[in-house]
Amino acid sequence: QVQLVQSGAEVKKPGASVKVSCKASGYLFTGYHLHWVRQAPGQGLEWMGRINPNSGDTNYAPKFQGRVTMTRDTSMTTAYMELSSLRSDDTAVYYCTKGFCTTTSCYENWFDPWGQGTLVTVSS
Amino acid sequence: EIVLTQSPATLSLSPGERATLSCRASQSVSSYLAWYQQKPDQAPRLLIYDASNRATGIPARFSGSGSGTDFTLTISSLEPEDFAVYYCQQRSIWPPITFGQGTRLEIK
């Protein structure tokens, strides 16, 4: 079955960078975009951007442009999200997710399944 | 950026009751709207896509309706496991893809 397994929790100081990984299995990794969504404590969901694992092309939310970099390693079927110049308000759970597929169709920008989430804490 | 506004912020109901959750878009998103359920310490789960289609394995008590700017998620008869936070999401005009702020469905 489709699985997305993320790297473990991170604690970073303000100004540092963090790189979160998302290991995909159970489907053709290069066939579907991978998205990153974050959730601050007690808050809602915020889309950060997506990567095309086949081409490496990316689309970022304007809010994160210049601070986020999404990459992938096709040999490892793993996607990465790196966020730089961390601030305390970047403290959040970061999720990777992929487009939803039925038995007959796939929808790139509806999200299912999701990884388990990675807590990134930014604190001095 | 399309802003999605969900109401109410919190809905208090009892098991067996009918739940009606609303999502309003700042401009038309056609039928490009989805609903997610999130339980504590879990990732969201897709319930409804394209405004009215149930995702795989979602019980029939969940239904979605609407188009343009006004959308509704209805849970016909609440089960204990339905008490959670619900988010709407649009993919019509992006980037960015946007979510509503959520509706918390709590046990009365």
Side-chain angles (χ1 to χ4, degrees), chain A residues 20-98:
Chain A
V20 179
S21 68
C22 174
K23 167 75 174 175
S25 62
Y27 73 99
L28 179 63
F29 178 68
T30 53
Y32 307 94
H33 289 81
L34 271 168
H35 300 250
W36 292 88
V37 176
R38 78 176 186 179
Q39 186 171 37
Q43 303 301 308
L45 301 167
E46 184 173 34
W47 182 80
M48 300 179 70
R50 73 174 192 174
I51 183 167
N52 180 332
N54 186 44
S55 65
D57 290 344
T58 54
N59 302 100
Y60 299 140
K63 174 177 179 176
F64 298 101
Q65 196 86 34
R67 227 169 39 102
V68 70
T69 304
M70 295 178 188
T71 58
R72 91 292 188 212
D73 181 335
T74 56
S75 67
M76 298 290 290
T77 66
T78 299
Y80 303 90
M81 186 284 300
E82 183 171 21
L83 188 63
S84 62
S85 303
L86 289 169
R87 309 183 288 257
S88 58
D89 62 358
D90 290 318
T91 294
V93 175
Y94 289 77
Y95 293 102
C96 62
T97 181
K98 70 173 281 293

Side-chain angles (χ1 to χ4, degrees), chain B residues 39-101:
Chain B
K39 297 180 180 179
D41 298 320
Q42 293 186 18
R45 176 176 70 147
L46 179 67
L47 298 176
I48 302 288
Y49 65 97
D50 288 352
S52 61
N53 296 311
R54 275 190 302 277
T56 308
I58 302 304
R61 64 181 181 273
F62 291 91
S63 64
S65 63
S67 65
T69 60
D70 291 297
F71 299 87
T72 301
L73 174 69
T74 302
I75 311 171
S76 59
S77 178
L78 285 165
E79 297 287 341
E81 62 267 27
D82 298 336
F83 292 92
V85 179
Y86 292 83
Y87 294 96
C88 57
Q89 176 229 326
Q90 68 82 25
R91 69 174 184 97
S92 176
I93 298 175
W94 69 280
I97 290 169
T98 52
F99 292 87
Q101 83 281 14

